[in-house]
Amino acid sequence: MLKINGPRLWASLMAMAEVGATARGGSRRLALSEEDAAGRELFGQWCREAGMSLSRDAVGNLFARRAGRDDALAPVMMGSHLDTQPEGGRFDGVYGVLAGLEVVRTLNDLGIETEKPLEIAVWTNEEGARFTPAMLGSAAFTGAMSLEAALASRDAEGISVAEALAACGQAGERPPGVPLDAYFEAHIEQGPVLEDNGKVIGVVTGGQAICWLDIQVEGQAAHAGTTPMPLRRDALFGAAEMIQGLERLAARFAPAGLVTVGQLEIAKSSRNTIPGDMRFTLDLRNPDDAVLARMEREARALIAAVAEGRGLAARVEPHWLSPATPFDADCVAAVRAAAQALGYSHQDIVSGAGHDAIHLARFCPTAMVFIPCVGGLSHNEAEDALPSDVAQGADVLLNAVLARAGRADGVC
């Protein structure tokens, strides 16, 4: 079994973390920002030094290619993303990209040619922190979202993806959705399961279902000092009751059901005005599609009941739905076999987060490799991972990808 150069991979991660570095040790590289473009440029420089060619598609997905012995074959792809949350960490996404690069560097060091070509993808706007939906680039690549819709998505300042691509020079001409032999993505777990269970490798068997809803609550704006409490139609107090009810709903679906309200907005807010228009987001997750659908129905019923009881109007609009997605049995087996052969402790796990691999799994055979993150913490500047775990996850990625791509010298 082959092993990568752990110190080199760690040094690359730390160098990338300096691009958009934050004061508290994290990274800020919002999709298609100057910082994101700088991170892509650094990655591209490293890829060219490793003898790889670069290309981009129309939504800005960046691809680095290492030729195979039979370069006409569909490539085995690795990858993830370089964009971050506004106050993101040093490993979320970037680990999968640079672990892929380290796989190529190690193959170069050992003089190993693969039968099939290898590619590394940097997917555009995986985080969804600037543009929505999340995983926008991989959605456009796989046809889950039209290219036109992806390019038309706008950020909070009204800038479209198309405009941002032009501004940072990341638009390309490669056609979307080219055939792939398989896709492998390495990632930090972003949760505490592996660490709590003392396992180094998560063999990801699939991703859970995700439902995003947008809720608008309408009451009546009025003066805070002259309107008696019983006569108020306070949209914020109504939303607060809804959110408390949603937390109780999560308890009924525990432990697999997850409920999150991540954004709240009071329209035309003022210190001494009763909120008349309130919006919030709702994120529902469950590994079972049918159970998730039941969670959504109950959430809608709860919101409607609270609104009726308070004399409010409530609208619930679907924003995004990602069904539960099983990964390819052969690719998952390749990850499991690599972990076993390397002697690394491992367990099967379902991804609780959305990843580009979820879109790719509906397009080509796909699997993921998880490693622990310290304290299960992610989407936080304090996000961390152990150098040994980082290296061992990349070892598994290397051997799983090599098993899929084949050695041109015929060595097993």
Side-chain angles (χ1 to χ4, degrees):
M1 301 300 290
L2 306 179
K3 293 188 177 182
I4 58 91
N5 184 326
R8 180 171 60 193
L9 174 54
W10 186 262
S12 297
L13 286 163
M14 295 304 101
M16 185 63 73
E18 291 301 311
V19 181
T22 64
R24 294 187 293 178
S27 296
R28 178 186 174 92
R29 292 187 300 271
L30 295 179
L32 304 180
S33 63
E34 290 183 7
E35 294 80 8
D36 188 26
R40 286 162 168 249
E41 178 57 35
L42 179 58
F43 170 70
Q45 173 189 326
W46 289 336
C47 289
R48 287 188 291 268
E49 291 170 356
M52 305 182 79
S53 60
L54 299 174
S55 61
R56 296 180 179 84
D57 66 14
V59 78
N61 294 318
L62 173 62
F63 305 98
R65 183 180 179 94
R66 183 183 195 255
R69 190 191 69 81
D70 186 346
D71 210 40
L73 295 173
V76 176
M77 182 177 281
M78 301 167 281
S80 193
H81 60 97
L82 293 177
D83 66 308
T84 72
Q85 291 289 322
E87 294 183 341
R90 301 174 296 167
F91 301 93
D92 177 9
V94 61
Y95 172 61
V97 172
L98 296 187
L101 174 60
E102 182 54 38
V103 166
V104 170
R105 285 169 163 172
T106 299
L107 293 175
N108 289 348
D109 291 346
L110 298 174
I112 295 175
E113 183 183 20
T114 56
E115 188 72 19
K116 301 169 187 174
L118 301 179
E119 290 196 354
I120 307 169
V122 178
W123 302 109
T124 298
N125 191 63
E126 191 276 348
E127 291 290 0
R130 182 177 181 190
F131 303 99
T132 60
M135 295 111 72
L136 181 146
S138 56
F141 178 88
T142 59
M145 183 181 192
S146 72
L147 176 60
E148 293 74 17
L151 293 175
S153 178
R154 295 184 179 274
D155 65 10
E157 297 179 357
I159 299 171
S160 70
V161 169
E163 292 165 345
L165 284 166
C168 66
Q170 292 298 310
E173 298 181 353
R174 171 169 161 161
V178 298
L180 302 178
D181 177 80
Y183 176 73
F184 291 85
E185 181 170 340
H187 211 282
I188 58 171
E189 181 199 343
Q190 299 185 281
V193 174
L194 293 177
E195 186 178 70
D196 286 354
N197 292 343
K199 305 296 185 183
V200 172
I201 301 297
V203 180
V204 188
T205 58
Q208 69 178 339
I210 306 172
C211 174
W212 282 3
L213 301 172
D214 294 328
I215 296 93
Q216 181 176 12
V217 183
E218 292 183 338
Q220 185 176 54
H223 197 291
T226 61
T227 309
M229 295 299 292
L231 300 180
R232 297 184 179 201
R233 295 169 55 214
D234 190 315
L236 177 56
F237 282 168
E241 184 178 347
M242 293 170 188
I243 292 167
Q244 284 187 319
L246 290 167
E247 185 179 27
R248 292 191 294 271
L249 182 150
R252 294 200 298 275
F253 287 89
L258 303 173
V259 176
T260 303
V261 174
Q263 293 178 308
L264 300 109
E265 177 187 355
I266 302 173
K268 301 175 183 177
S269 60
S270 171
R271 181 182 293 270
N272 62 345
T273 299
I274 298 165
D277 188 347
M278 178 74 206
R279 292 172 172 83
F280 65 93
T281 62
L282 180 58
D283 180 316
L284 304 173
R285 305 194 187 208
N286 196 285
D288 188 299
D289 287 324
V291 177
L292 182 71
R294 193 162 76 247
M295 291 175 65
E296 180 185 356
R297 289 194 299 271
E298 292 194 19
R300 286 175 176 271
L302 183 156
I303 290 166
V306 171
E308 182 179 3
R310 287 179 167 268
L312 304 170
R315 290 200 299 272
V316 181
E317 298 290 341
H319 187 94
W320 178 56
L321 176 64
S322 177
T325 306
F327 288 159
D328 178 75
D330 290 340
C331 290
V332 171
V335 171
R336 187 182 295 112
Q340 289 173 341
L342 287 160
Y344 297 159
S345 60
H346 60 279
Q347 69 170 79
D348 286 3
I349 190 170
V350 174
S351 174
H355 296 287
D356 294 303
I358 303 299
H359 285 315
L360 270 294
R362 299 164 193 151
F363 182 80
C364 69
T366 294
M368 293 188 74
V369 181
F370 274 178
I371 63 169
C373 51
V374 175
L377 188 64
S378 184
H379 283 196
N380 189 299
E381 291 168 290
E383 176 185 277
D384 202 3
L386 300 180
S388 58
D389 293 342
V390 165
Q392 290 174 357
D395 291 342
V396 171
L397 178 68
L398 166 62
N399 287 279
V401 166
L402 191 54
R404 183 79 188 194
R407 291 180 61 156
D409 57 14
V411 176
C412 297

